[in-house]
Amino acid sequence: MMKNKFRIPLQYKITLAIAATNILILSFVYIYLKSNLQDHTFLRIRDNLSRESLLIKSQLENQYAPSLSSEKIDKIIDQMGQNLDVRVTLIDLKGKVLGDSKLSGDALAAMENHLYRSEVQQALEKGRGESRRFSTTLRDDMLYVAYPFGKEEPKGVIRLAVSLEEVQTAIDKLKGLLGVSLAIAFVFSVFLGLIASFYISIPLKKISAVTQKIAGGDYSRRIYISTNDEIEELGNAINYMSEQIKARIDEVETNKSRFETVLLSMFEGVIVVDDAGAIRLMNDTLKKLLNVSGDPVGKRPLEVIRNIEIQEIADKALSLNSHVESGEIHILQPLERTLQVHATPVIKGKEVFGAVLVFHDITELRRLENIRKDFVANVSHELRTPITNIKGFSETLLDGALHDKKNAEDFLRTIYADANRLAQLVEDLLDLSRIESGKAALEMSSCHIKDIVDRVTVSLKEQIKRKNVAIEKDIPKNLAQVQVNEKNIAQVLLNLIDNAIKYNEKGGCIQISAKESNGFVEVSVADNGIGIPAEDLPRIFERFYRVDKARSRELGGTGLGLAIAKHLVQSHKGQISVKSELGQGTTFRFTLPKA
C-alpha cells in the first residue's frame, strides 16, 4: 500500500518527458540562436566599422595634405575618433603612425612601425584589410578594419578599431534576453503538457504496461480497452502490430541465419549496394582481400575501394535493371591482384532495389596464363634458331657443299653444335619438368658444401682461365654439413658460378662463401660484374627470361639455368634470392638444411 501511495502518476511522467523534451529542444534552439546572434552582432559591428572607415576615409582625403604638421594630423584623427567613439589610426605608406585617437605626444612617437600589420598589408594589396588580435598598445582584444586613402594614389592607410569587449557586452545582453524568452516558453509548454497528460494517461496506463511486455519480447500479451475512441483503436493496432512483428522477426531471423551462413562460407568477395549505390553489406572475405578497414556501410564503393572500375560496374548494374554486368579489374593495393567482378541488379517488380557484386580472385589464373604464353613463345623461339641453322646448313650440304671439305666441315660443326644445343634444351626442360612435378627422387646424403664447391670450380677451370677471373672462397672448415643430393646442388652451384663468370668483366672476381643461419647453411656466390637492372630482378628466376637477350644467346645457355636452380633449392626445403646493382655486381644466396 505504501508503494502505491507514493507512486508517481503516469500523467506526471508524461509531463516530465515533455519537460525534458522541451529542455532539449529549447537548449538546441538557444545554442543555435545564440551562435547566430553572436555572429550577426559581430558582422553588424564589423559592417558599421567598415562604413565608418569609408566615411572617415572620405573626410580625410578632403582634409589631408602632406604639408600638415604631425600635431595637426593627430588633432584631426583625435576629433574623428571622438565623433565616432572608435579608435582611429593614420599610417603612412612606410608604416609610420601619423596619428592615433587614443595616443598623442611621446606615446604616439614611440609607436612601432605598422607596415607589416596584417590589416595594413591587406588594405594595400586588396583595397581593404581586417583582423582580430590583441593590441599590445591598448592591452585589449580589438577588431581592426583598414582602407587605403588618397584620391589619385594611396598616401597611407586609415585604420579603425573597436574593442571586442564592447562587442561581447552587446552579445551578452542579447543572450540574456534570449534566455528569458525561452524560459517563459518552457514554463508555458510544461503547463500545457501537464493538462494534456492528465486526460490521456488513464487508458495509456494499460497500453504502457502491455507495450513494455511486448518491448521485452513477450509478443503474447494483448491490450483490452473499451473506450470506443482512438485510444481503443490504438490498442487494437498495437495488438495487430505485435502479431505482425513476431511473424516478421521469426522470418527475418531465419533468413538472416541462412544468409549469413552462405555469405560467411563463400570464398568469393561480396558487396551489396542499395538503389542509391551505397554499400549495405560487405563480407569479410572481400575486406581481407582489399584490406578494407572500418565500417563501409553507407558509403559508395569508390569511397571504400579506390578503384573507379568497381564504381562503374556497380552503376551499370543499377541502370541495366535485368542484365548481369561483368568486368575484369586490377587492384594495386594492398597487393597487385586481378579480380573478375560480376554485378547483378536486385529487382522487385519493375523497380531496382540494389545490386550484388561478386568478386573472384583470378590473379593466379592470369599469372599462369601469362607464364604459359611466355613459355610457349620462348620455347618456340629457342627451338627455331638451331632448327633453322640445322635445316639451312643441311640443305647447303645436300646442294653440293658436301664436296667442299673445308666448308662442309664448318657446316657440320655448326649442325653438331646446334644439335647439342637442342639436346641440352630438351634435357633442361625434362629436368625442370621432373623437378616441378616432384617425381624426381632425391637421394640425400650428408656432405660438406666446400667439397661440392671445389668440384664445381675445377670443372669450370677453362672458363675461369679464359675470362681471367679470380675465385675467392670463404667457407669455414668447421662449417656444419648439409643434407642434400650432391648432384643437384652441384648443378645449382654450376649454374650460379657459370653465370658469374659469363657476366663478369675480364680480370674480375667471384666470391663464394658459406655460413650457418637459423638451422640452415647459407651459400653465397657474388661477382663484381655488370649487374642486373632493378626492374629485371623480380623475373630473373623465370624460365627463358634474359636480361640482355642478345648477349645471353651469344654466351650460350638455354635460359633455364636459374629456373632449375630455384626449383632444386626449393626441393631441398631451402630458399634462393638475388641482390644486384647495375654496374656493381650480383650476389645469389641460397640455403640448405643442415645434416
Side-chain angles (χ1 to χ4, degrees), residues 423-436 560:
Q424 184 62 48
L425 178 61
V426 172
E427 186 65 29
D428 285 348
L429 285 172
L430 290 174
D431 287 345
L432 189 57
S433 177
R434 283 194 298 269
I435 296 168
E436 287 182 333
L560 297 171

Side-chain angles (χ1 to χ4, degrees), residues 66-341:
S67 59
L68 292 175
S69 65
S70 299
E71 292 77 9
K72 181 64 176 177
I73 292 173
D74 188 46
K75 186 176 181 180
I76 294 172
I77 297 301
D78 290 344
Q79 185 62 44
M80 290 179 174
Q82 290 176 3
N83 293 338
L84 297 177
D85 193 23
V86 294
R87 180 187 177 188
V88 182
T89 306
L90 181 65
I91 305 164
D92 67 12
L93 293 177
K94 294 183 179 180
K96 181 181 178 181
V97 178
L98 302 177
D100 191 293
S101 62
K102 297 294 183 180
L103 301 173
S104 61
D106 294 338
L108 178 65
M111 288 188 72
E112 59 185 9
N113 191 285
H114 280 45
L115 179 61
Y116 296 103
R117 294 289 195 270
S118 60
E119 66 276 5
V120 176
Q121 287 291 310
Q122 291 176 22
L124 293 175
E125 293 177 3
K126 301 178 180 179
R128 183 184 183 278
E130 178 185 325
S131 70
R132 298 171 63 177
R133 67 171 185 274
F134 182 78
S135 172
T136 56
T137 304
L138 301 180
R139 314 300 296 176
D140 195 3
D141 288 319
M142 304 291 287
L143 170 64
Y144 297 94
V145 174
Y147 285 92
F149 74 91
K151 291 186 177 180
E152 296 180 356
E153 60 180 15
K155 295 183 174 57
V157 174
I158 184 70
R159 184 185 72 177
L160 270 67
V162 63
S163 172
L164 291 178
E165 184 177 352
E166 298 177 10
V167 176
Q168 190 60 42
T169 301
I171 292 172
D172 289 340
K173 290 180 180 178
L174 289 174
K175 288 181 183 178
L177 180 61
L178 178 61
V180 171
S181 301
L182 293 179
I184 294 173
F186 170 73
V187 173
F188 185 70
S189 65
V190 170
F191 177 72
L192 292 179
L194 180 62
I195 296 174
S197 65
F198 177 78
Y199 289 100
I200 65 175
S201 63
I202 297 175
L204 285 180
K205 290 180 180 180
K206 294 181 180 180
I207 295 176
S208 176
V210 175
T211 52
Q212 286 179 14
K213 297 294 184 181
I214 294 174
D218 185 2
Y219 297 101
S220 63
R221 303 302 291 265
R222 294 293 179 265
I223 298 173
Y224 301 100
I225 297 176
S226 301
T227 56
N228 197 28
D229 57 12
E230 289 81 0
I231 299 296
E232 182 178 347
E233 291 179 0
L234 175 62
N236 295 333
I238 291 175
N239 290 337
Y240 179 74
M241 179 189 66
S242 176
E243 296 173 359
Q244 294 300 311
I245 289 175
K246 180 64 168 61
R248 296 295 181 270
I249 287 178
D250 291 342
E251 182 181 351
V252 168
E253 287 181 348
T254 301
N255 292 336
K256 180 181 178 183
S257 178
R258 293 173 181 171
F259 182 73
E260 287 181 349
T261 301
V262 173
L263 187 64
L264 293 175
S265 62
M266 286 184 65
F267 181 75
E268 294 80 6
V270 177
I271 289 180
V272 179
V273 298
D274 60 19
D275 57 342
I279 295 174
R280 289 297 163 213
L281 184 144
M282 179 185 293
N283 69 347
D284 291 338
T285 300
L286 188 62
K287 288 181 180 179
K288 293 177 182 177
L289 184 67
L290 301 180
N291 194 28
V292 175
S293 59
D295 186 7
V297 175
K299 301 177 181 177
R300 293 173 61 82
L302 187 60
E303 298 178 58
V304 179
I305 310 164
R306 298 297 182 182
N307 188 290
I308 188 64
E309 295 173 286
I310 296 177
Q311 185 65 59
E312 290 176 350
I313 292 173
D315 293 341
K316 287 180 181 178
L318 292 172
S319 63
L320 289 175
N321 295 349
S322 60
H323 296 82
V324 176
E325 181 68 20
S326 298
E328 189 172 304
I329 63 171
H330 299 280
I331 301 293
L332 300 178
Q333 296 292 339
L335 297 174
E336 185 175 358
R337 296 180 184 274
T338 301
L339 304 177
Q340 183 74 39
V341 185

Side-chain angles (χ1 to χ4, degrees), residues 311-556:
Q311 185 65 59
E312 290 176 350
I313 292 173
D315 293 341
K316 287 180 181 178
L318 292 172
S319 63
L320 289 175
N321 295 349
S322 60
H323 296 82
V324 176
E325 181 68 20
S326 298
E328 189 172 304
I329 63 171
H330 299 280
I331 301 293
L332 300 178
Q333 296 292 339
L335 297 174
E336 185 175 358
R337 296 180 184 274
T338 301
L339 304 177
Q340 183 74 39
V341 185
H342 298 285
T344 306
V346 179
I347 302 173
K348 187 176 181 180
K350 295 184 179 180
E351 294 186 27
V352 178
F353 286 86
V356 179
L357 285 73
V358 181
F359 295 75
H360 304 270
D361 188 355
I362 58 172
T363 305
E364 185 64 16
L365 178 62
R366 290 292 178 262
R367 188 185 72 83
L368 293 176
E369 286 181 358
N370 291 332
I371 290 176
R372 179 184 60 79
K373 291 177 183 178
D374 291 344
F375 177 74
V376 172
N378 287 325
V379 168
S380 301
H381 186 79
E382 294 294 334
L383 292 174
R384 186 183 296 115
T385 301
I387 289 175
T388 301
N389 289 340
I390 291 173
K391 183 179 178 182
F393 284 116
S394 299
E395 289 177 352
T396 304
L397 290 171
L398 291 173
D399 288 342
L402 184 61
H403 302 291
D404 186 348
K405 293 185 178 181
K406 182 178 179 181
N407 288 328
E409 187 175 338
D410 291 338
F411 291 168
L412 288 172
R413 284 196 184 94
T414 302
I415 292 172
Y416 179 75
D418 284 331
N420 280 337
R421 182 178 175 184
L422 284 174
Q424 184 62 48
L425 178 61
V426 172
E427 186 65 29
D428 285 348
L429 285 172
L430 290 174
D431 287 345
L432 189 57
S433 177
R434 283 194 298 269
I435 296 168
E436 287 182 333
S437 65
K439 295 180 180 179
L442 296 178
E443 296 181 2
M444 301 290 193
S445 61
S446 299
C447 62
H448 201 290
I449 194 67
K450 184 177 184 301
D451 297 334
I452 303 177
V453 172
D454 291 340
R455 288 200 301 272
V456 171
T457 52
V458 169
S459 67
L460 293 171
K461 181 172 60 177
E462 290 300 323
Q463 291 94 314
I464 295 171
K465 182 178 179 181
R466 187 164 52 250
K467 202 66 176 284
N468 190 29
V469 295
I471 302 293
E472 297 180 0
K473 301 175 186 177
D474 182 15
I475 303 176
K477 293 182 179 180
N478 59 347
L479 185 68
Q481 292 188 336
V482 290
Q483 188 74 16
V484 297
N485 181 285
E486 292 191 41
K487 179 181 177 182
N488 287 346
I489 299 307
Q491 186 175 359
V492 173
L493 284 166
L494 180 65
N495 287 333
L496 297 181
I497 298 173
D498 185 48
N499 282 345
I501 297 171
K502 289 178 181 178
Y503 298 103
N504 210 330
E505 303 292 345
K506 286 190 176 182
C509 178
I510 299 173
Q511 295 180 328
I512 305 171
S513 59
K515 64 179 181 179
E516 295 183 31
S517 177
N518 298 326
F520 287 83
V521 171
E522 183 182 275
V523 183
S524 301
V525 178
D527 65 69
N528 58 352
I530 60 176
I532 303 170
E535 62 270 17
D536 293 308
L537 288 175
R539 303 188 60 188
I540 200 68
F541 292 105
E542 292 182 13
R543 286 170 286 191
F544 295 111
Y545 187 80
R546 293 183 171 95
V547 177
D548 187 343
K549 296 177 175 57
R551 180 168 181 177
S552 296
R553 292 195 178 93
E554 180 185 340
L555 294 173

